[in-house]
Amino acid sequence: MSHDWEGLVQEDRVHRALYTDPAIFNAEMTKIFGGTWVYIAHESEIPNVNDYVTRKLGLRPVIVLRDSNNILRVLYNRCTHRGTTLCRHEKGNARAFQCPYHGWNFLNSGKLRGVPWADGYSADIKDEKFNLAQAPRVESYRGFIFATLNLEAPILLNWLGPMTKPIDEWLDRNPGGKIVVCEANRFKYKGNWKLAYDNSSDGYHVIYSHRSLLEMENRLSDAANKGMAYYKNSPDSLAMYVQYMGNGHHFKDKRPNLQARPGGLWAIESTHPGKEYAEAEFRRKYGERADSLLDLAGSEPVNINIFPNLSLLGNHIQVFQPISVNETDAVWYGTRIEDVNGDIGDALGTINALRMRTQEGFPNFGEVDDLANFEQIQVGLQCEEDEWIYMNRGHGIPDRIKTNADGTITAPATDEVFMREYIKEWKRLMKGPTPLSIKREP
Amino acid sequence: MSVGAQDPSVSSFYVNDSFYGDLIARFQDWDHDRHGICDPVERDGFRLLLEREARFLDQHKYDDWLAMLTRECVYWAPARPGGGDPRTEIAVMFDDRRRLEDRVFRLRSEFAWSQAPASRTVRMISNVEVFEYGEMDRRMLRSNFIINEFWDNEIRQLVGWCGYDMQNIDGRWLIRAKQINLINCDRCIRNPSIIL
Ligand code: FES
Ligand SMILES: [Fe+2]
């Protein structure tokens, strides 16, 4: 199969086929969700030796684990005998996985430990071809575990490039620079996975797609400045911005809109269960420190979007999981904090409880509306003669978009420059040869 | 304990540490046979109450529904089987009085795209059991539900069971806490935007 990639991805528009063609989707599962680094799990989900979670790398079922020697591995969840999945649980702790079909038994290094009635084999059952396949490269950046099947991909740190700065800042605002994943708001939508990635830095949709949320959040206050209300008037003239960071990554930074002081974040936090209790309690007990404690429960106004499937926003770790050309799972993992330095003390419980409630707000009252819009894009794109999707906001306006010394590109918050740029990286990966490989324990 | 006379529709003082502690204790290990109430009259009274609740929600009579809950109520759909701990884990939904009114406000705005047009629902309630809980003015209920939801030209089913913490106030039974346990609560769900 070959596509006219230059024709499909143009300067200011892309062809509907990117979202509707099953052949393109299949190629993406190889070339993108195999050929580049893909986020696969967070280390806090598998903190102990032998802990595992089951996930997907593209469409490949995998077991992400910390093996008996404390090595992070992404094993194919596929028995080397006749192909069944070995592990059917979401998470657990196991030194070995025994196949439920004929009982082949694998260590969590992927090595075949034994088979029932081994004397029935003339083949050498110790041959490495019987060990489980696994991703040849697994790397972690500050707890975020990525995998790729591409031996020629740059090391993770270089691939993240300037993205490490917003990631570091996102982590370092928490005690000890540490967060712990703690359940999730989990969504499914009938649409292509890129609809979610297209949305991740989209500052243009906020006041329309999220109008019900913005009105809801501000229904009780006259000031009407909670949540994302700063998008209301002239968002492009505000200090917030969108930045293309290379390798398909992009970053929406709304922090410059805040008052630069402890409590500046909390000041725009909308209403949540327990909010007034925590505020009153912290001010009474902790005085001056109350503001910075409350900020820990507040929703950090950034969107850190790591191509192709990860988005850090608010306090969430959002992951896009393609299912088919027109079906995607979007999981909003919550995060809590720990009192790493021992200076939070008995405020920790209240902060985390409030942090859970602030995190449930947007998925419940905002994301559902975006997802409805994604689904309706997929429906609209069935108009096959109307071929183009425009992402031309900000395009061709002199002095609107700046290329920085480090090669990143900065633009006003509602610009679609991030889409125009990331899709070039998508095109590069789709066009190129993809030397994928797996490895097995020797 | 709530502070002073704050209106829970406006500010949320009652969702505090002891509120969470009580809630978790209450929804732990409560549906034992030894606490079961077999009296058919009492059971039928609660069955009627739950059927009425289902009808209010099917008919989008949200004010009537909200009036079935205590002022300092909670509506809680855990994100994992067994409930988990809402203090340290994300829930599918965890609403206090104000957030429930937010939810209703949003549904009534013309801009809730996930509900434009709105879902049509028919709820089936069954397996209603009544349990003693502490004082005579308190009861726990357990019921199973199927919500048949018509949305985007499809009918789907949301299935699970609910636990209710009930309190009799001035001769009326009100819902202090409703725990909604979807059987697929820890999986991806399409458009979870109706009130369960
Ligand atoms: S398929 Fe696994 S042992 Fe046969
Ligand atoms: Fe959005």
Side-chain angles (χ1 to χ4, degrees), chain A residues 139-435:
Chain A
E139 290 180 26
S140 162
Y141 181 73
R142 296 196 61 182
F144 297 97
I145 308 169
F146 294 80
T148 182
L149 307 180
N150 184 353
L151 294 175
E152 289 166 20
I155 62 165
L156 179 65
L157 197 65
N158 291 348
W159 177 78
L160 290 171
M163 276 316 255
T164 55
K165 181 167 179 275
I167 296 171
D168 288 347
E169 289 169 358
W170 189 80
L171 287 168
D172 290 337
R173 84 177 196 94
N174 301 294
K178 197 176 165 199
I179 47 93
V180 176
V181 168
C182 53
E183 289 304 323
N185 289 106
R186 301 174 175 91
F187 297 101
K188 179 180 286 300
Y189 68 90
K190 288 191 177 180
N192 188 268
W193 67 274
K194 292 190 291 304
L195 295 169
Y197 197 68
D198 294 348
N199 177 262
S200 60
S201 276
D202 182 346
Y204 198 31
H205 79 296
V206 175
I207 62 160
Y208 294 97
S209 195
H210 298 307
R211 183 159 171 188
S212 71
L213 170 68
L214 292 177
E215 290 192 3
M216 186 197 94
E217 285 180 326
N218 291 291
R219 74 184 173 93
L220 293 170
S221 92
D222 300 331
N225 58 0
K226 298 294 185 186
M228 295 184 290
Y230 44 67
Y231 273 105
K232 269 187 163 168
N233 298 316
S234 331
D236 286 347
S237 61
L238 296 179
M240 63 177 169
Y241 58 93
V242 64
Q243 190 175 9
Y244 181 71
M245 307 290 267
N247 292 338
H249 316 313
H250 40 85
F251 173 43
K252 166 66 63 66
D253 190 2
K254 297 165 280 191
R255 293 172 303 179
N257 292 351
L258 302 180
Q259 304 163 41
R261 61 165 176 93
L265 177 57
W266 191 248
I268 65 159
E269 195 56 66
S270 53
T271 53
H272 301 286
K275 185 187 183 198
E276 287 76 8
Y277 160 71
E279 251 172 35
E281 193 70 357
F282 282 8
R283 298 212 189 283
R284 185 177 64 77
K285 274 196 195 158
Y286 308 112
E288 296 257 287
R289 275 181 66 219
D291 277 313
S292 48
L293 292 172
L294 289 164
D295 281 346
L296 290 171
S299 196
E300 182 76 337
V302 293
N303 302 69
I304 300 166
N305 306 308
I306 299 160
F307 186 76
N309 70 330
L310 173 64
S311 181
L312 311 179
L313 73 169
N315 295 317
H316 286 103
I317 299 173
Q318 188 189 181
V319 182
F320 315 122
Q321 174 61 57
I323 306 294
S324 71
V325 68
N326 54 13
E327 187 176 347
T328 305
D329 285 348
V331 182
W332 294 60
Y333 292 97
T335 62
R336 67 167 177 255
I337 58 167
E338 290 185 334
D339 188 10
V340 178
N341 304 318
D343 52 5
I344 294 184
D346 60 2
L348 183 70
T350 304
I351 291 173
N352 272 330
L354 190 53
R355 184 167 162 132
M356 296 307 111
R357 305 293 86 81
T358 60
Q359 289 178 96
E360 287 150 5
F362 186 78
N364 266 278
F365 306 114
E367 185 62 8
V368 287
D369 290 334
D370 275 348
L371 295 175
N373 283 325
F374 300 169
E375 293 202 349
Q376 293 304 314
I377 290 177
Q378 200 73 26
V379 173
L381 293 183
Q382 294 308 307
C383 298
E384 64 175 283
E385 298 76 17
D386 200 358
E387 297 170 285
W388 299 102
I389 290 158
Y390 288 92
M391 40 174 200
N392 57 339
R393 185 170 170 79
H395 181 64
I397 301 178
D399 300 329
R400 189 174 166 105
I401 295 169
K402 281 191 272 309
T403 301
N404 306 305
D406 61 358
T408 64
I409 301 168
T410 308
T414 67
D415 273 25
E416 289 167 335
V417 63
F418 74 93
M419 283 178 74
R420 296 192 289 277
E421 294 299 327
Y422 101 71
I423 209 69
K424 288 181 195 161
E425 169 68 4
W426 179 91
K427 181 165 71 175
R428 185 187 72 78
L429 289 163
M430 294 297 280
K431 273 164 76 173
T434 316

Side-chain angles (χ1 to χ4, degrees), chain B residues 39-55:
Chain B
D39 174 35
V41 176
E42 177 163 355
R43 183 163 169 232
D44 203 52
F46 282 116
R47 200 195 314 245
L48 185 68
L49 184 143
L50 296 183
E51 288 169 353
R52 184 185 301 133
E53 187 205 6
R55 176 165 54 83

Side-chain angles (χ1 to χ4, degrees), chain A residues 90 182-188 190 208-209 211-212 215-216 219-220 271-277 280 329-331 334 336 349-350 352-353 356-357 359-361 364-365 368-369 372-373 375-376, chain B residues 9-13 15-17 20 79-80 86-96 98-99 101-103 105-106 109 111-115 151-152 154 185-193:
Chain A
E90 286 286 289
C182 53
E183 289 304 323
N185 289 106
R186 301 174 175 91
F187 297 101
K188 179 180 286 300
K190 288 191 177 180
Y208 294 97
S209 195
R211 183 159 171 188
S212 71
E215 290 192 3
M216 186 197 94
R219 74 184 173 93
L220 293 170
T271 53
H272 301 286
K275 185 187 183 198
E276 287 76 8
Y277 160 71
D329 285 348
V331 182
R336 67 167 177 255
T350 304
N352 272 330
M356 296 307 111
R357 305 293 86 81
Q359 289 178 96
E360 287 150 5
N364 266 278
F365 306 114
V368 287
D369 290 334
N373 283 325
E375 293 202 349
Q376 293 304 314
Chain B
S9 291
V10 177
S11 51
S12 183
F13 286 95
V15 181
N16 55 29
D17 297 350
Y20 280 115
R80 69 176 169 104
R87 294 170 295 195
T88 51
E89 288 167 328
I90 295 291
V92 176
M93 306 173 191
F94 192 101
D95 295 4
D96 61 355
R98 179 175 59 190
R99 185 164 268 183
E101 293 179 1
D102 280 345
R103 204 174 271 285
F105 175 91
R106 195 187 87 85
S109 78
F111 312 107
W113 311 121
S114 72
Q115 283 294 308
W151 181 77
D152 193 32
E154 280 175 25
C185 65
D186 57 349
R187 292 297 190 281
C188 293
I189 301 174
R190 186 175 175 227
N191 193 25
S193 64

Side-chain angles (χ1 to χ4, degrees), chain A residues 79 81-84 99 101-104:
Chain A
C79 182
H81 176 220
R82 298 223 313 247
T84 185
C99 180
Y101 200 9
H102 311 94
W104 284 23

Side-chain angles (χ1 to χ4, degrees), chain B residues 81-146:
Chain B
D85 186 337
R87 294 170 295 195
T88 51
E89 288 167 328
I90 295 291
V92 176
M93 306 173 191
F94 192 101
D95 295 4
D96 61 355
R97 159 72 53 180
R98 179 175 59 190
R99 185 164 268 183
L100 274 179
E101 293 179 1
D102 280 345
R103 204 174 271 285
V104 168
F105 175 91
R106 195 187 87 85
L107 292 173
R108 284 177 175 159
S109 78
E110 287 161 46
F111 312 107
W113 311 121
S114 72
Q115 283 294 308
S119 299
R120 297 175 203 156
T121 60
V122 169
R123 291 154 205 254
M124 322 298 275
I125 307 292
S126 75
N127 303 55
V128 177
E129 292 185 87
V130 183
F131 298 88
E132 282 178 343
Y133 181 81
E135 311 295 313
M136 279 308 290
D137 66 342
R138 296 285 290 278
R139 289 286 185 264
M140 294 290 286
L141 310 180
R142 185 182 162 116
S143 65
N144 292 353
F145 67 83
I146 299 173

